[in-house]
Amino acid sequence: MKFLGHIFRIIIATAIIGTVLYHFNTQFQTAIDQKYEWLFPCKTPITYSLGTVDPKFGISKDDFLTAVKAGEKTWEDALNGKNLLEYIPENGKVTVNLIYDERQTATDKLKKLGYVINNDKAGFSDLKAKYDALSKTFNQTKAQIANDITDLKRDQAAYEKEVAHWNSLGGAPKDEFAKLQKEKNDLNSRADNINQRQNTLNQSVDTVNSLGTVLNEQIDTLNLDVQKYNNNQQTLGDEFDQGEYILDQSGRSINIYQYDNKAKLERVLAHELGHAIGLGHNDNPKSVMYKLDQGTTLTLSAEDIAALKAVCHTL
Ligand SMILES: [Zn+2]
């Protein structure tokens, strides 16, 4: 009995330790991976897998993977084809996600309306001017409609007062009656007109809001030079606001939220993969690792290459 009790205690203890290890395993593993990568940088490839690829982007998982691989190749080519990153179908150390959010919705809406969105300072000024013009028109129309509603209510009240007056006298004479009938039709068509204008206004508020969303994003992309921290997340790449590299207790991930075209997608992926390899930002505006996403190609700058060689100790 005493022996069985001992065995039982061991089983319970093992179960507890097992549970604890299971919970902290990912966290430990990430910490161990990082220590290893710090001690032996670029020695073994950092594996990655795909996570969420939201179908709303209209890009297949295969095509998304092709874009990630283009970003990967950029860095590997710089070190003569050294295997720095490697795709594995499951359980890669880094999970790469394509996540649909309101920024992409706003971009899509504007594109359908024929807006050209360029994520640079000139593009921002251009969009800002359109936003200002549109919101000015919007506010004028809104004020005009509000005035027209006030006038309509006043005239409707006057009409009803007149009808009540003639009713109290037992009915209006023929010409008065015709006049009142005309007034009623007139009031109805004014109400219809107001309704139509309000519908149009409701559609344009959607456009104004989409422009606001895209502009806010560009303000982040073009102006901010800060790292974002909160309780669970440490982000290294938030100025490249369409994407981010996240390192937290649940592991490592790259999230892409928005892109305008294939070239831009590959570039933001290359930037975030650069962070995954261990690169920070550098000061050349043409760099893939510049803090702002201003370029359109995957060509690395001399600064990008120097930083990569420094991280991989291959200077
Ligand atoms: Zn970054």
Side-chain angles (χ1 to χ4, degrees):
M1 228 16 222
K2 207 176 172 186
F3 176 70
L4 280 179
H6 189 62
I7 295 277
F8 185 69
R9 274 203 300 277
I10 290 173
I11 291 170
I12 294 293
T14 311
I16 291 169
I17 291 166
T19 310
V20 170
L21 279 183
Y22 178 78
H23 275 291
F24 289 96
N25 189 37
T26 329
Q27 208 176 330
F28 277 147
Q29 196 54 51
T30 306
I32 290 164
D33 287 349
Q34 290 209 291
K35 195 69 83 184
Y36 179 85
E37 283 162 27
W38 183 71
L39 286 169
F40 308 105
C42 313
K43 196 165 170 65
T44 54
I46 299 167
T47 55
Y48 64 85
S49 303
L50 297 190
T52 308
V53 179
D54 198 309
K56 289 199 203 84
F57 282 94
I59 183 174
S60 69
K61 262 195 157 175
D62 282 350
D63 287 345
F64 182 57
L65 182 59
T66 304
V68 185
K69 284 182 173 170
E72 174 192 340
K73 192 173 180 295
T74 298
W75 296 111
E76 293 178 342
D77 284 355
L79 292 183
N80 303 317
K82 188 172 175 54
N83 198 13
L84 295 170
L85 296 152
E86 193 173 304
Y87 168 73
I88 55 171
E90 269 170 58
N91 301 320
K93 287 173 188 169
V94 179
T95 308
V96 187
N97 302 300
L98 185 57
I99 299 169
Y100 204 90
D101 74 354
E102 94 272 5
R103 290 176 287 191
Q104 187 67 38
T105 315
T107 304
D108 287 353
K109 273 183 190 164
L110 294 180
K111 276 186 174 174
K112 269 185 196 156
L113 292 170
Y115 285 86
V116 177
I117 297 162
N118 289 316
N119 286 315
D120 52 28
K121 285 191 175 149
F124 174 78
S125 304
D126 187 43
L127 219 55
K128 174 87 169 62
K130 282 174 178 149
Y131 175 86
D132 289 344
L134 196 64
S135 54
K136 194 179 164 195
T137 310
F138 173 81
N139 287 323
Q140 282 170 347
T141 310
K142 196 174 147 187
Q144 188 65 56
I145 290 174
N147 276 339
D148 290 354
I149 289 173
T150 309
D151 290 352
L152 179 67
K153 279 184 176 165
R154 185 199 58 213
D155 295 347
Q156 254 167 350
Y159 165 81
E160 271 153 26
K161 205 176 159 188
E162 214 173 337
V163 171
H165 166 74
W166 286 114
N167 280 346
S168 72
L169 297 175
K174 207 178 172 189
D175 57 335
E176 266 315 315
F177 183 82
K179 199 189 117 207
L180 284 171
Q181 199 63 37
K182 194 191 163 294
E183 246 176 69
K184 192 186 171 189
N185 290 340
D186 191 41
L187 289 169
N188 282 342
S189 67
R190 277 166 66 191
D192 284 347
N193 173 277
I194 287 172
N195 271 337
Q196 275 172 18
R197 282 154 62 210
Q198 241 165 356
N199 284 338
T200 311
L201 192 73
N202 288 344
Q203 280 161 19
S204 78
V205 76
D206 200 37
T207 308
V208 172
N209 286 340
S210 294
L211 279 167
T213 302
V214 172
L215 285 170
N216 278 340
E217 186 205 341
Q218 289 188 331
I219 287 166
D220 283 347
T221 310
L222 298 169
N223 292 344
L224 289 184
D225 188 15
V226 288
Q227 294 196 333
K228 211 189 284 167
Y229 295 102
N230 64 36
N231 289 340
N232 329 313
Q233 288 183 7
Q234 187 183 9
T235 306
L236 288 172
D238 92 14
E239 301 82 7
F240 248 80
D241 204 46
Q242 303 95 316
E244 60 182 353
Y245 171 65
I246 298 172
L247 173 63
D248 67 16
Q249 288 163 346
S250 64
R252 290 187 274 175
S253 50
I254 288 172
N255 293 334
I256 305 298
Y257 298 106
Q258 194 270 327
Y259 64 90
D260 298 327
N261 54 52
K262 186 168 158 274
K264 281 293 204 182
L265 174 62
E266 290 175 353
R267 190 172 158 89
V268 67
L269 281 164
H271 180 95
E272 305 307 341
L273 288 170
H275 282 312
I277 295 169
L279 299 177
H281 294 147
N282 67 57
D283 291 332
N284 181 350
K286 288 188 174 142
S287 295
V288 166
M289 293 314 293
Y290 186 60
K291 63 185 182 231
L292 312 177
D293 178 19
Q294 294 187 336
T296 50
T297 70
L298 283 175
T299 312
L300 298 178
S301 67
E303 290 83 351
D304 285 330
I305 294 169
L308 177 67
K309 286 183 173 171
V311 162
C312 292
H313 297 182
T314 53
L315 276 174

